[in-house]
Every structure is written in structure tokens, then in C-alpha cells.
Amino acid sequence: IVAYYNGERISIQKSRNLITENGNAILFDKKIQSVLNGSIHDNESIDNNQSMNSKQEITQVSRPIEIPIIRVEEEVEKIKMVSYTFNSDSFEEGTIERLNRIGVFNYNENDANITSSIIHTSELTPIMSFYMKGMEENEFISEEFIEYRIELGNKIPGKLANWILRSNKTVRFIVLEGVNHLIFYVNNEIEKTELRDELNELLK
């Protein structure tokens, strides 16, 4: 056993003598001792201190914690519209039939390309991506064109379907309020008028 007094090492016998002369109070720190001596006989003061401490604790607990809110400008995600192109020297009926299992494709004789209808990237599925693997993706900016929309109903007429497969028209199929529609994208009002006349003749 090693005894210390005021930071100095003392003998066991001296420590016993100090306790005998000063009592057990010598074992406490002076600051603690002064608090004990000044308050131990004052019960009312202790009660008041406890009451004040309780009030302080309640105040601290009930105070709301303010968390700074950092507002981030959310960028509106623009849905990208695309079409897919595959070079083909001739109208390959087997290829067109295979691709039309997952969408609508037509053959453009002028460019010698098989081209898909316009698709929102959000509409792409894994099976579509698998079928169109290796095809060139082309972004489509609809604002650069004029829309001409026709209502198809529940089924697309056979004549119209065959005409679309062999035409070079840029098209997109959409469903509006449960009804199928076909949108054509043309460059100007003249093309729009010519397209309307052609469709009216075709669907007689």
C-alpha cells in the first residue's frame, strides 16, 4: 500500500497519524470538502439546489434541436426519346418480323436502314435491349418536328400496319386515356397535308 498527501509520497505510519489528527475529512479533496462542510447542515439549501437543477434539466431537454435544412435544386429529368437503326441492303422480312416482337420497325429504302419507332428511354425493357443489341441508338428531338396524330382504337388495320413497315415515316405509338394513338413526325405543314391525304386514301 502506498500513501500520498498533497502529491507527495508518505509513509503508512504518517498517513495514520494524519487521519488520527484530522479525522476522515482529510481523505477528501479540499474543494469537495468545502462543499460538504458548507452544505451538509443546510437541508433547505440542498433542496433548493436540487429544485433548480431539475428545472435546468427540464429546460435543456425541452429545448427544440434546430437542424439546418439544406435545400438542393432538383434538376428536372428530361425523358430522352430515341430510335434504333440497323443497316440492311434489302427488306428482310424475317428480321423485321423478329424485331416487331418487341416494337415497331420499318424499312427505309432510301437509307437502306431498318429503323425502330420513337421510344422513350423509360419504356425500354431488358428484352428490348437484348433484341436491339448492336443497333445504333439515335437521339430524337421531337421539338424539331410537327406532330400528326391519329386514333387507332383497339387494333391497327392490316393495310396501315403493312404500309408502316415499308414506309420511311418517323412514328411513335402511345396510349392516351386507354386508346391507342399513332403519332407521325413530319418536317413541315406541306408534309403533314400530304401525309393526311395519303392516310385517308389508304384507310378508305
Side-chain angles (χ1 to χ4, degrees):
I1 300 173
V2 179
Y4 287 87
Y5 181 67
N6 290 335
E8 296 182 1
R9 183 174 178 176
I10 60 175
S11 65
I12 298 300
Q13 185 58 48
K14 185 174 180 178
S15 66
R16 289 175 178 171
N17 294 337
L18 287 171
I19 293 174
T20 302
E21 294 173 1
N22 299 282
N24 290 334
I26 197 173
L27 299 175
F28 295 94
D29 183 86
K30 290 183 179 180
K31 292 181 181 179
I32 298 175
Q33 184 178 346
S34 63
V35 172
L36 292 174
N37 292 336
S39 60
I40 196 165
H41 300 296
D42 191 354
N43 293 332
E44 183 178 353
S45 176
I46 292 174
D47 292 339
N48 290 338
N49 288 336
Q50 290 178 345
S51 177
M52 289 177 64
N53 290 337
S54 298
K55 291 180 180 179
Q56 289 176 355
E57 290 175 0
I58 293 172
T59 301
Q60 292 174 358
V61 171
S62 61
R63 182 179 301 164
I65 300 173
E66 296 182 4
I67 301 175
I69 298 175
I70 302 175
R71 300 188 181 276
V72 179
E73 293 292 335
E74 295 185 2
E75 184 179 351
V76 178
E77 183 179 357
K78 185 178 180 181
I79 299 177
K80 185 179 178 182
M81 297 178 68
V82 296
S83 65
Y84 291 86
T85 304
F86 175 77
N87 184 259
S88 178
D89 295 333
S90 61
F91 180 82
E92 298 178 5
E93 187 173 350
T95 302
I96 290 287
E97 182 181 349
R98 177 176 60 85
L99 290 172
N100 281 334
R101 296 173 185 173
I102 50 114
V104 177
F105 292 77
N106 57 31
Y107 179 69
N108 188 337
E109 293 182 354
N110 298 329
D111 299 331
N113 284 327
I114 295 175
T115 305
S116 74
S117 59
I118 305 302
I119 307 169
H120 274 166
T121 50
S122 61
E123 298 172 352
L124 290 172
T125 63
I127 189 67
M128 292 172 70
S129 299
F130 174 78
Y131 268 83
M132 296 185 296
K133 185 177 181 180
M135 297 183 72
E136 182 181 355
E137 182 182 282
N138 306 290
E139 184 174 3
F140 181 77
I141 310 299
S142 60
E143 291 79 5
E144 298 178 358
F145 298 87
I146 298 173
E147 290 187 6
Y148 180 67
R149 184 179 304 175
I150 63 172
E151 183 178 320
L152 296 176
N154 295 327
K155 295 182 179 180
I156 181 172
K159 288 183 179 181
L160 178 60
N162 187 61
W163 176 81
I164 291 174
L165 294 180
R166 298 177 179 274
S167 73
N168 60 352
K169 306 298 182 185
T170 303
V171 299
R172 178 173 177 245
F173 288 87
I174 62 172
V175 179
L176 298 173
E177 299 180 355
V179 180
N180 296 314
H181 288 76
L182 178 60
I183 299 178
F184 292 89
Y185 295 94
V186 296
N187 293 305
N188 49 56
E189 290 294 336
I190 296 176
E191 284 189 18
K192 182 177 178 180
T193 301
E194 292 175 349
L195 173 62
R196 183 173 60 242
D197 295 341
E198 190 173 0
L199 288 172
N200 287 335
E201 185 66 25
L202 179 69
L203 298 175
K204 279 183 178 180

